[in-house]
């Protein structure tokens, strides 16, 4: 199988490296060409227009920033005309509605479409231990299972197109909400002059504990948000997507809307490219940030 990989950023690059390591031919395209150099060195074929990659491949994997990027890269007139007979696997984070609309465009161009968003970040992408959630027909899932296992050991068939995208947004909502709640408790503990390790000792032994708390603790304590696996701007984008999709479902969104405001403030504080644990600085310094 020859695979076109469109989008080789923070997650796309290590994922494409996994395919190369499995001796799968990869044709790579990225809108920022400099990001392709490591893949070229590892043996990938590099092209300067997505249609060249699509034309040469049986399967096209998308790991692009958002739906607008997908429309630009995959569904522009010149690229759309090359989709016939190709399988498109969309692995980024978009809404169920967007995924279904893109599916309809792909099918209209003679291709087939499935979604396979992933949970995890760069370390899991490098080791092939991502959680892969698949929205597809059963036959599509079975036909591409071996390919998807390069990214995660047990890809899960969630349901038809749209269900995996929805599950991914539900999980990313938890990333924002859990991290915000932990950051608030940590800031409170510090202001109360409670020993942080005592706080963590009790928390770790309770049903309230989530491993993500320890993963983010040191960054928060040190204020070191550089070299992110998941930047603040991406969590805000996914939070915006969750809210936009959930608004029509009759849910109370006030809690996640407050997370959205905190992330927006983090962006204003120049944390856009930093790890999303930077929201701790917003919460801790809220009096200064808000002028209170």
């Amino acid at each position: 199988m020859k695979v076109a990989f469109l989008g080789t950023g923070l997650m796309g690059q290590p994922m494409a490296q996994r395919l190369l390591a499995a001796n799968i031919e990869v044709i790579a395209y990225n809108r920022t060409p400099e990001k392709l150099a490591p893949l070229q060195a590892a043996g990938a074929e590099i092209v300067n227009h997505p249609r060249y990659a699509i034309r040469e491949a049986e399967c096209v994997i998308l790991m692009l920033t958002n739906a607008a990027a997908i429309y630009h890269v995959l569904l522009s007139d010149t690229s759309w005309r090359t989709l016939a007979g190709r399988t498109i696997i969309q692995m980024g984070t978009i809404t169920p509605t967007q995924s279904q609309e893109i599916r309809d465009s792909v099918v209209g161009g003679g291709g087939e479409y499935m979604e396979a968003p992933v949970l995890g970040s760069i370390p899991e992408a490098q080791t092939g231990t991502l959680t892969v959630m698949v929205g597809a027909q059963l036959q599509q899932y079975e036909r591409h299972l071996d390919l998807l296992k390069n990214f995660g050991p047990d890809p899960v068939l969630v349901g038809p197109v749209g269900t995996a995208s929805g599950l991914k947004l539900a999980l990313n909502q938890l990333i924002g909400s859990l991290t915000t709640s932990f950051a608030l408790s940590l800031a409170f503990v510090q202001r109360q002059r409670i020993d942080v390790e005592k706080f963590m000792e009790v928390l770790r032994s309770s049903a309230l504990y989530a491993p993500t708390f320890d993963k983010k603790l040191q960054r928060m304590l040190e204020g070191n948000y550089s070299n992110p696996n998941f930047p603040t701007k991406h969590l805000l984008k996914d939070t915006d997507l969750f809210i936009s999709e959930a608004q029509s479902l009759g849910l109370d969104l006030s809690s996640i809307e407050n997370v959205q405001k905190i992330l927006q403030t983090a962006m204003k504080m120049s944390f856009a490219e930093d790890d999303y644990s930077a929201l701790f600085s917003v919460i801790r310094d809220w009096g200064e940030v808000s002028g209170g």
Side-chain angles (χ1 to χ4, degrees), residues 26-257:
V26 173
I27 310 170
Y29 168 81
N30 197 76
R31 290 182 296 170
T32 307
E34 304 84 69
K35 294 182 179 179
L36 291 164
L39 291 176
Q40 187 171 29
E45 182 182 342
I46 304 304
V47 294
N48 58 14
H49 194 286
R51 72 174 179 270
Y52 301 137
I54 298 166
R55 194 169 58 198
E56 295 299 319
E58 304 158 52
C59 180
V60 180
I61 292 177
L62 307 178
M63 199 62 185
L64 295 159
T65 306
N66 51 32
I70 294 172
Y71 276 94
H72 176 74
V73 170
L74 185 77
L75 299 177
S76 66
D77 189 52
T78 52
S79 294
W80 182 77
R81 292 175 184 275
T82 63
L83 296 182
R86 274 75 179 173
T87 299
I88 311 302
I89 305 179
Q90 198 297 114
M91 302 192 74
T93 303
I94 58 177
T95 69
T97 300
Q98 289 169 338
S99 190
Q100 290 160 349
E101 289 172 349
I102 292 166
R103 173 202 58 197
D104 293 345
S105 295
V106 169
V107 171
E112 68 167 349
Y113 176 91
M114 54 191 288
E115 58 183 13
V118 299
L119 185 67
S121 54
I122 295 170
E124 291 79 19
Q126 291 171 332
T127 56
T129 55
L130 292 165
T131 299
V132 183
M133 299 158 279
V134 185
Q137 298 171 3
L138 178 60
Q139 312 93 289
Q140 290 177 307
Y141 168 76
E142 291 175 341
R143 202 171 349 117
H144 295 91
L145 186 56
D146 287 343
L147 177 64
L148 294 174
K149 281 184 175 181
N150 288 288
F151 309 121
D154 299 299
V156 178
L157 178 61
V158 182
V161 169
T163 57
S165 292
L167 178 53
K168 168 64 171 169
L169 287 182
L171 293 167
N172 277 25
Q173 187 277 145
L174 273 176
I175 292 174
S177 294
L178 282 173
T179 307
T180 303
S181 294
F182 175 68
L184 179 59
S185 288
L186 179 61
F188 180 81
V189 161
Q190 288 182 322
R191 293 287 163 87
Q192 292 288 329
R193 294 190 173 87
I194 298 166
D195 181 72
V196 170
E197 190 45 48
K198 290 292 182 186
F199 162 60
M200 292 304 300
E201 181 183 330
V202 173
L203 178 58
R204 289 182 192 114
S205 64
S206 76
L208 305 174
Y209 178 70
T212 189
F213 298 157
D214 266 309
K215 287 184 177 179
K216 297 303 175 186
L217 176 63
Q218 211 55 40
R219 280 188 178 273
M220 292 179 180
L221 292 177
E222 296 174 0
N224 177 13
Y225 311 123
S226 60
N227 300 314
N229 292 325
F230 191 30
T232 301
K233 65 179 183 180
H234 289 171
L235 182 56
L236 176 58
K237 186 256 314 182
D238 294 351
T239 300
D240 291 343
L241 291 178
F242 178 89
I243 291 171
S244 72
E245 190 75 13
Q247 278 172 337
S248 63
L249 302 178
L251 303 173
D252 183 339
L253 300 176
S254 53
S255 62
I256 190 61
E257 285 171 344

